[in-house]
């Protein structure tokens, strides 16, 4: 049974604090995390804060055109996927995504619904909903024991 938590991020500061806590968790290096939400919900923003908290410097790109951006940390690799423009299932094999998901490391995926049926089941599903103000309503769904560990 999945475990669901609801949070409110009052500002991007809260997004950053959540990212820092997640990045500091010893289990994060083996997690697959899905990020759901409309355009501009704050998925990439959350990923950027996670990458920064993992001490990944330099330019953090939005992977929309490349589908995936790989990063290295001292402890584990990180892959930031954005499946927004993913529409050819053959790319899954051709681009080596199957191999990525067979490799240990942190995987973060925006627009995972566009690769439905190809992606494995996520440890943690994060759903971000932007409100009229800067506030974000956030649902965290843990679907595996690892995901439960990662919950606040
Ligand atoms: N509490 C908040 N958390 C995250 N982002 C916020 C927050 N408040 C405001 N923002 C702003 O909202 C925008 C979110 O854009 P972002 O690129 O992260 O969205 P996205 O969900 O990745 O969209 P897309 O589906 O187009 O990739 C950023 O400009 C960010 O600064
Ligand atoms: Mg994005």
């Amino acid at each position: 049974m999945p475990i669901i938590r609801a949070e409110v991020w009052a500002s991007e500061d809260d997004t950053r604090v959540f990212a820092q806590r997640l990045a500091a968790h010893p289990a994060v290096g083996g997690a697959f995390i899905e990020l759901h939400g409309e355009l501009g919900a704050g998925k990439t923003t959350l990923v950027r804060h996670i990458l920064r908290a993992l001490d990944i410097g330099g330019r953090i790109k939005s992977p929309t055109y490349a589908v995936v951006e790989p990063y290295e940390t001292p402890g584990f690799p990180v892959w930031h996927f954005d499946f927004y423009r993913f529409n050819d299932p053959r790319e899954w094999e051709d681009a080596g995504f199957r191999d990525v998901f067979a490799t240990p490391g942190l995987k973060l995926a925006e627009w995972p619904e566009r690769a439905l049926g190809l992606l494995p089941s996520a440890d943690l599903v994060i759903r971000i909903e932007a409100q009229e103000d800067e506030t974000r309503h956030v649902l965290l769904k843990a679907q595996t024991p690892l995901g439960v560990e990662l919950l606040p």
Side-chain angles (χ1 to χ4, degrees):
M1 276 297 277
I3 296 179
I4 298 177
R5 294 271 160 80
E7 291 206 342
V8 175
W9 298 344
S11 70
E12 203 178 313
D13 269 353
D14 284 354
T15 303
R16 179 177 48 77
V17 168
F18 176 86
Q20 288 171 339
R21 203 205 52 81
L22 189 69
H25 198 290
V28 78
F32 169 35
I33 300 175
E34 284 186 359
L35 302 150
H36 293 256
E38 294 300 309
L39 295 168
K43 302 178 294 295
T44 301
T45 303
L46 172 60
V47 170
R48 287 203 173 108
H49 284 296
I50 293 170
L51 294 174
R52 270 194 211 110
L54 289 170
D55 236 1
I56 294 168
R59 214 170 98 73
I60 296 169
K61 293 189 276 187
S62 183
T64 295
Y65 291 96
V67 179
V68 66
E69 285 294 333
Y71 299 92
E72 284 292 339
T73 75
F76 49 84
V78 181
W79 288 273
H80 175 201
F81 290 90
D82 186 334
F83 290 107
Y84 190 72
R85 287 190 169 74
F86 180 85
N87 43 33
D88 184 353
R90 278 173 303 180
E91 198 186 343
W92 182 262
E93 298 292 340
D94 297 349
F97 295 161
R98 180 188 297 279
D99 301 329
V100 169
F101 278 91
T103 307
L106 170 61
K107 294 111 192 173
L108 300 153
E110 296 184 46
W111 294 102
E113 54 271 56
R114 309 237 163 155
L116 210 66
L118 295 165
L119 285 167
S121 164
D123 299 295
L124 188 63
V125 177
I126 302 179
R127 194 172 295 276
I128 307 172
E129 205 182 288
Q131 307 300 302
E132 304 269 298
D133 46 20
E134 299 258 288
T135 305
R136 266 52 180 174
H137 287 184
V138 182
L139 282 180
L140 307 168
K141 181 163 76 156
Q143 309 189 128
T144 66
L146 195 156
V148 173
E149 262 194 74
L150 292 173
L151 283 180

